Amino acid sequence: MENNPLNVMYAEHDIIMKAENIIKNLDKVWENDEEKYKEVVTTLITFFREYADGYHHRKEEEVLFPAIHGHPDFVLQEILEEFETHHEDFREYTTEIEDAIAEGDYEKSYKELNSYVQDLLDHIGAENDELFSLAESLIDEDDLETIFFKFKDIDMELGEERKVELEKSIDNILV
């Protein structure tokens, strides 16, 4: 299938997962270069808020989850509620990290950042292994194509150029 929206989801997950190595390499950077640490964490927070939450989670919450939820053969409502709860948790993480940075508590910010990325990786794994295959088995090709174009609409509304900038920002972080 050419316009498969799940391929968009997988590709965005791959980009988001790049943050893991960046975060691993940030451990104790603040001890030698406080400004570099703050700069990288600020870039990561922007990436998580705008890309992971703004582009990716929005597609799930506004398009994919309702399509799955509305399918007559779907009975596992709790799974969608759990994923939405994760999204809320991720939003809280970014605020906690930002607050810790503002307080100069870099060790706490790093601990929160590390917890965030680990929870995010678990979340991505569950979506890749369970949710997306469930969606593909429930939703027919015509409806999947409709979802694909709704995803494109979200990207256009938020800015396709900005999305590319955010993707490049994660690739350009040097620690």
Side-chain angles (χ1 to χ4, degrees):
M1 176 177 185
E2 186 179 334
N3 294 321
N4 189 336
L6 301 173
N7 291 341
V8 173
M9 296 284 96
Y10 288 121
E12 289 176 357
H13 276 173
D14 289 344
I15 290 163
I16 294 166
M17 289 188 306
K18 291 178 181 182
E20 180 184 22
N21 284 333
I22 295 165
I23 292 168
K24 280 182 186 174
N25 292 331
L26 270 178
D27 192 16
K28 306 235 186 291
V29 165
W30 63 87
E31 291 178 356
N32 296 319
D33 194 343
E34 200 174 292
E35 288 307 310
K36 176 70 173 174
Y37 178 79
K38 290 193 298 189
E39 175 189 320
V40 171
V41 172
T42 300
T43 301
L44 285 169
I45 288 171
T46 299
F47 173 79
F48 288 137
R49 282 189 175 147
E50 291 186 39
Y51 188 87
D53 196 42
Y55 287 87
H56 185 78
H57 293 157
R58 180 173 172 194
K59 288 177 186 133
E60 292 174 342
E61 292 172 2
E62 292 182 10
V63 181
L64 186 61
F65 293 174
I68 293 169
H69 184 270
H71 195 281
D73 294 336
F74 180 67
V75 294
L76 301 170
Q77 306 305 333
E78 312 82 46
I79 194 171
L80 295 180
E81 291 169 8
E82 184 178 334
F83 286 127
E84 286 183 336
T85 299
H86 292 171
H87 293 175
E88 289 298 322
D89 292 345
F90 299 144
R91 292 174 188 122
E92 289 176 26
Y93 268 125
T94 57
T95 300
E96 290 173 21
I97 295 162
E98 203 169 47
D99 290 348
I101 290 286
E103 295 165 7
D105 192 343
Y106 304 124
E107 193 162 337
K108 178 182 178 187
S109 72
Y110 183 74
K111 182 180 175 194
E112 292 293 329
L113 192 58
N114 205 42
S115 295
Y116 174 42
V117 78
Q118 293 310 311
D119 288 351
L120 188 59
L121 293 173
D122 290 344
H123 173 83
I124 287 171
E127 285 185 343
N128 285 354
D129 296 343
E130 299 168 29
L131 182 70
F132 298 161
S133 59
L134 174 69
E136 204 149 31
S137 69
L138 286 175
I139 302 170
D140 68 37
E141 280 194 19
D142 289 340
D143 289 337
L144 283 171
E145 189 165 54
T146 299
I147 290 168
F148 175 85
F149 287 108
K150 287 181 179 181
F151 284 179
K152 284 288 191 197
D153 289 343
I154 288 172
D155 285 350
M156 287 189 324
E157 179 186 328
L158 294 174
E160 291 176 313
E161 290 173 16
R162 179 62 179 155
K163 183 179 180 186
V164 171
E165 284 173 23
L166 290 162
E167 290 170 350
K168 288 180 180 175
S169 76
I170 203 78
D171 286 332
N172 292 332
I173 295 175
L174 301 173
V175 182

